[in-house]
Amino acid sequence: MGTDQLTGMLRVPRTPDGAVDSRALLVRIGRAAPAFIALWGLFWLTGRGIATQHLDVGIAVATAVPLWIAARAWRLPWWLHAGAASFPLSIAVIALAHADPTGTVRGAKLAYGAILFLAIAAWARTVRRRLVVGLLIAGLGLGAFALAWMTWMTVQPAPWNLMKGTLDWHNQFAIQMIFGVSAGIFIGVLGRGGWSIFAMVCAAVCGAGVVLSGSRYGFALACAVVAAALAAALVVTIRERRRGPVARWAAVLAGALILPVLLRSPLFFPGFAFGVDPFGTMTQRGGLDSSGATRLDWWRAAWEIGLDHSAVGSGLLTFAHQAVCHAAMPQWHPHNEWAYTWAEGGAVGLLPMLLLLAGVLALVVRSLRPLPGNVELRRDPARWGGLVALVAAVGHLVLEYDLYYTTLVGLISVTGGMAVAPVVRLSGRRASEVMAWCGLAVALAVVVGAVTLDPSFETWPWPVIDGYPQVCAR
C-alpha cells in the first residue's frame, strides 16, 4: 500500500494544494491521544496475565481517567454514573462493614472498569470511533492468541493440551478470544474495505483459540456469537441480494476450524499421530457431571451463606471458609459472580450485579426495537459486535469468575461502552455533572484504599501451597 493510499484511508487532513496539513494533523492527534492512551492500557493488560499487581491496576486506571475527562463523560445521564460507581462502592461498603480491607483489590479492578466504561460510552459517539475500538479489540484477540500459542508450544508441548494463554486458565482464555471473535466477525461480515479483511482474519484466529482452549461453555457461547453473525449476514444478503456477507461468514468459520487441525498436525508435532478432529481437546476431557454437580453445590452453599448474612455478606474472600460450613467442597469462588457477591457481600454486593443484568437486558431490547435492517447493520458493524460480545461476556459470568481478571474487566467495559454509546443520549443537566464527579471520586478513592490497605492485593485468592480449609471454623 502506497503512502497516498494509507493517508487516504486514515483521512489525513490536507491543504488545498494536496499536501498534508501538519497543524491540523497535530490537532487531530492531540484530540485522539486520550483514546489511544486508554486503549493502550488494554494492550498493556493483554500481555500481563491475571494483572493483579499494583503496577498493572495503577496503569489501567491511569490510562482510563484521561479519556473520561477528554470525552466529557459527565454529560452522560446521572443514573449511568450511579450504576457504574455502585460496583467499586459496594466493595468499599462491604470492607468497612466487616472492618477488614482484605480483598478490596476487587474494588480497584471494578473501579477501572467503571471509569473505562463511562469514558468509552462518552467518546465512541460516532461510527468511525466505534470501528476503531472494534478493530482494536479484534487485534488484541489476535495478539493474545499469538502469546498463547507460543506458550502452548513450549510448555509440555502436546497437541491435545488445553490452550490457556497469559490468563493461565482455559475458560478465561476462551472468553478473551470470544471478544475478538465477536468484534472481528461482525466487522468482517458487515463491513467493507481492507479493514474488514483484517477483522475476518482476527475472528478466524480467535475462533481457533476458543476451540484449542477446550472450554466447552466458551465454545457454546462462541457458537451463539457466530450464529448471531450469521443472522446479520443473512439479513444483508437477502435485502441486498449479495452473497458476499454469507461467504465471508463461511470463510471465518472455515478458518476457525481448519487452523486447530493445522496447529495439531505433524508440521508442529512431528512425534504425535495426526488428528483431524478440531474438537479433540473438548471431547477428550470427559463428561460434565463432576464439574456441573460441584458448581451446583457451590451455588447452594453461596445461597445459604447469603441468607445467613443478608445485608453485607460474610466478608470479602471468605467463601472458601464458609463453604466448608455448608457441606460444600472448599473453593475461593462458587464459579458464578451473582452467587459470589450474594455470599460475600449480601444485598450490598448483589445490587450492582443485578443492575448489570437488568442493564444488559434493557440494552438488547432497546437495540433490537425495531429489528435492524441491512442499512443499520452495514452502517455500524462494530456496535453490533460489541453488543453481542457484551452479552456473551455477561453470560460467561454465570459459570466463571472473570471479574477477578483485570484484562477481562477492561474488555467487558469497552464493549459495554461501545454498545451503550449509540443508545444513551447525552445530558447537560447539573445533576449528571455532580453525580459524575462524585462517582469518579468514589472510584479513585476505592483504588487508593485498596492499593494502600489491602494485604492481599498482589496475591492470588486461591491457595498455592497450604490448600483450602477442610474444617468449619465457626
Side-chain angles (χ1 to χ4, degrees):
M1 181 179 293
T3 303
D4 292 340
Q5 290 175 299
L6 182 61
T7 56
M9 180 179 293
L10 297 177
R11 299 189 181 182
V12 174
R14 294 181 177 274
T15 60
D17 59 359
V20 174
D21 191 333
S22 301
R23 183 176 180 180
L25 179 61
L26 288 174
V27 171
R28 184 174 294 183
I29 292 174
R31 290 176 178 173
F36 282 99
I37 290 172
L39 297 175
W40 177 86
L42 267 183
F43 170 78
W44 166 271
L45 294 173
T46 299
R48 296 291 293 177
I50 295 175
T52 194
Q53 289 77 19
H54 289 97
L55 177 65
D56 297 324
V57 178
I59 286 179
V61 174
T63 56
V65 172
L67 182 60
W68 190 98
I69 296 173
R72 295 183 292 170
W74 54 83
R75 298 176 299 162
L76 294 170
W78 68 268
W79 48 266
L80 200 61
H81 290 283
S86 68
F87 283 88
L89 179 60
S90 66
I91 303 300
V93 171
I94 295 166
L96 288 172
H98 292 276
D100 187 359
T102 303
T104 49
V105 59
R106 179 181 176 90
K109 296 175 182 180
L110 294 178
Y112 163 61
I115 297 170
L116 184 61
F117 162 72
L118 295 168
I120 294 294
W123 181 78
R125 308 294 299 179
T126 66
V127 171
R128 187 188 305 177
R129 289 182 175 183
R130 288 191 288 274
L131 181 61
V132 169
V133 178
L135 288 170
L136 177 83
I137 293 175
L140 287 179
L142 181 65
F145 178 88
L147 293 174
W149 179 75
M150 288 187 288
T151 303
W152 186 63
M153 288 294 295
T154 56
V155 179
Q156 296 180 348
W160 303 113
N161 276 353
L162 303 179
M163 185 175 280
K164 300 179 181 180
T166 60
L167 300 182
D168 201 36
W169 199 244
H170 62 292
N171 292 323
Q172 276 66 39
F173 174 68
I175 192 63
Q176 184 183 30
M177 291 294 97
I178 288 174
F179 283 104
V181 171
S182 187
I185 197 170
F186 274 88
I187 295 175
V189 167
L190 302 176
R192 297 182 176 92
W195 294 119
S196 63
I197 302 300
F198 169 76
M200 288 173 60
V201 172
C202 293
V205 172
C206 291
V210 175
V211 173
L212 291 169
S213 73
S215 173
R216 290 166 291 202
Y217 185 46
F219 178 74
L221 289 175
C223 288
V225 170
V226 171
L230 175 60
L234 288 173
V235 169
V236 175
T237 295
I238 293 171
R239 294 285 181 86
E240 297 181 358
R241 297 182 179 180
R242 295 180 180 178
R243 286 177 279 184
V246 173
R248 289 185 172 209
W249 177 89
V252 171
L253 184 62
L257 296 178
I258 293 172
L259 187 57
V261 176
L262 176 65
L263 293 180
R264 291 200 186 100
S265 70
L267 180 65
F268 296 97
F269 295 96
F272 292 85
F274 177 67
V276 296
D277 181 8
F279 309 112
T281 306
M282 284 177 279
T283 57
Q284 292 189 23
R285 291 183 56 204
L288 297 171
D289 296 342
S290 177
S291 61
T294 304
R295 277 178 167 82
L296 290 175
D297 225 21
W298 287 331
W299 298 353
R300 174 193 54 77
W303 172 252
E304 294 173 356
I305 294 168
L307 289 178
D308 292 342
H309 311 275
S310 58
V312 290
S314 60
L316 302 174
L317 294 182
T318 60
F319 179 76
H321 299 271
Q322 294 292 324
V324 181
C325 302
H326 291 268
M329 181 187 300
Q331 174 62 264
W332 81 276
H333 196 288
H335 290 60
N336 179 304
E337 290 289 0
W338 286 268
Y340 183 60
T341 54
W342 169 244
E344 293 194 352
V348 170
L350 185 60
L351 179 60
M353 292 300 298
L354 293 178
L355 290 176
L356 172 65
L357 184 60
V360 170
L361 291 175
L363 180 62
V364 171
V365 172
R366 174 65 179 82
S367 299
L368 298 181
R369 291 181 62 187
L371 286 174
N374 61 307
V375 175
E376 292 79 12
L377 292 171
R378 284 280 204 184
R379 181 189 298 125
D380 199 355
R383 170 197 178 181
W384 303 109
L387 177 63
V388 173
L390 176 65
V391 172
V394 172
H396 202 253
L397 299 180
V398 175
L399 293 180
E400 288 299 332
Y401 43 91
D402 298 341
L403 297 184
Y404 176 69
Y405 296 80
T406 315
T407 306
L408 298 182
V409 171
L411 287 170
I412 292 172
S413 300
V414 169
T415 51
M418 288 173 59
V420 164
V423 175
V424 176
R425 295 182 179 179
L426 298 178
S427 171
R429 296 180 181 178
R430 180 68 176 173
S432 297
E433 186 172 347
V434 172
M435 181 61 72
W437 287 102
C438 289
L440 179 63
V442 166
L444 294 178
V446 172
V447 173
V448 173
V451 168
T452 57
L453 299 176
D454 185 3
S456 69
F457 199 103
E458 295 195 349
T459 61
W460 293 351
W462 52 85
V464 178
I465 299 175
D466 297 333
Y468 290 105
Q470 300 296 324
V471 180
C472 180
R474 284 180 180 175

